[in-house]
Amino acid sequence: MLKALIARFKQGFRTGKFPPAAPSLPPDFRGRPQIDDDISPEEFERAQSACPVKNALYCDFEGAKLDMGRCIFCGRCAEVCDKIRFTKEYRLGVFRRTDLIVRAGDLDYEPPKQTDAAAKALRRSLTLREVSAGGCAACELDANVLGTLAWDMGRFGIRFVASPRHADAIYLTGPVSPNMQLALDKTWAAAPEPKFLIAAGACAISGGLYEHGNVPATPALFIPGCPPHPATTLEALLRFSGRC
Ligand code: SF4
């Protein structure tokens, strides 16, 4: 027992200081993209032809756009076009699908604040039931990381639970493959009202590189990325429940 206590004392406090301190992000971290508003049609086409995801980059009557709900943050567009870059902005979670669209010239950004009273009621305790609906396990692993002592999201009262009956929200990852459709629908139906759907990762939001199955409700929180960085997910969950 004494040895265990000494070892524990020597290990010290291992949980990161984020939040409130800024997260420690890898040097090659790709956060919120920016597109310069003077991007030419030729430059845009070059970026678009380098992109492996259909409609992640597109152009309409307003100009060039990048859909963070489809983007896998591979960075190929920025490699071939210097009018597109990825910032270190990790606060990417939004409450409306349309807020994932980055327009050319959108250089200023503040993440949206939660206004939904039902979501804010979860500020002291948020329970999540994960459904991996055909994902590659990257989003699932980075969600799992949030439970480790390095991130320890339990200190904010946020935790994954085994049963949808105990969940405030269903945390969906993966593109919803045909084999997972029924399981997702049943899990959603089993969660008590009021309930929220959280779509984490490009696959859950849009299908990403794959066909998108049917989601049982409109997500109340979209967390883009491939996979979303744990700092992005934790910040999004805290903001979703009105804590920042
Ligand atoms: S970073 Fe996104 S938009 Fe750019 S090439 Fe990759 S998937 Fe396409």
Side-chain angles (χ1 to χ4, degrees), residues 21-186:
S24 160
L25 299 168
D28 54 356
F29 174 79
R30 296 188 193 96
R32 185 179 167 84
Q34 290 179 340
I35 308 174
D36 289 340
D37 57 5
D38 61 349
I39 188 168
S40 69
E42 295 74 32
E43 288 169 322
F44 183 75
E45 267 178 48
R46 196 163 63 238
Q48 204 177 27
S49 51
C51 179
V53 185
K54 195 175 166 193
N55 293 334
L57 281 167
Y58 65 96
C59 217
D60 64 13
F61 67 95
E62 289 180 322
K65 292 179 178 169
L66 190 156
D67 182 354
M68 286 197 296
R70 293 185 179 275
C71 177
I72 58 169
F73 292 75
C74 66
R76 288 191 198 176
C77 51
E79 282 168 19
V80 299
C81 174
D82 60 9
K83 298 288 169 65
I84 299 177
R85 72 193 71 80
F86 287 83
T87 67
K88 298 291 179 203
E89 176 58 82
Y90 64 93
R91 299 171 301 169
L92 304 179
V94 295
F95 311 129
R96 295 183 311 175
R97 178 71 178 86
T98 48
D99 289 342
L100 291 173
I101 309 296
V102 175
R103 295 166 180 77
D106 269 359
L107 303 184
D108 296 329
Y109 171 73
E110 260 314 304
K113 294 256 185 235
Q114 182 59 279
T115 54
D116 184 316
K120 280 180 160 183
L122 303 169
R123 59 181 293 124
R124 297 177 74 86
S125 168
L126 172 60
T127 52
L128 307 167
R129 174 62 163 91
E130 149 79 353
V131 178
S132 174
C136 68
C139 289
E140 293 82 351
L141 281 171
D142 270 355
N144 194 36
V145 156
L146 290 169
T148 63
L149 82 168
W151 294 89
D152 190 19
M153 69 175 178
R155 70 197 142 123
F156 302 106
I158 307 173
R159 64 201 166 97
F160 286 101
V161 292
S163 168
R165 303 258 187 236
H166 303 155
D168 300 307
I170 300 300
Y171 188 92
L172 172 66
T173 54
V176 192
S177 60
N179 286 352
M180 282 303 294
Q181 186 72 62
L182 181 61
L184 173 62
D185 292 343
K186 282 186 167 183

Side-chain angles (χ1 to χ4, degrees), residues 164-223:
R165 303 258 187 236
H166 303 155
D168 300 307
I170 300 300
Y171 188 92
L172 172 66
T173 54
V176 192
S177 60
N179 286 352
M180 282 303 294
Q181 186 72 62
L182 181 61
L184 173 62
D185 292 343
K186 282 186 167 183
T187 306
W188 175 254
E193 298 280 356
K195 56 189 168 187
F196 299 92
L197 183 65
I198 296 175
C203 291
I205 295 170
S206 68
L209 290 162
Y210 308 101
E211 283 290 316
H212 201 206
N214 296 317
V215 288
T218 303
L221 173 62
F222 299 86
I223 311 176

Side-chain angles (χ1 to χ4, degrees), residues 4-36:
L5 287 173
I6 291 169
R8 178 68 187 82
F9 182 74
K10 281 185 179 164
Q11 281 173 11
F13 190 70
R14 295 293 178 95
T15 302
K17 295 196 174 3
F18 168 76
S24 160
L25 299 168
D28 54 356
F29 174 79
R30 296 188 193 96
R32 185 179 167 84
Q34 290 179 340
I35 308 174
D36 289 340

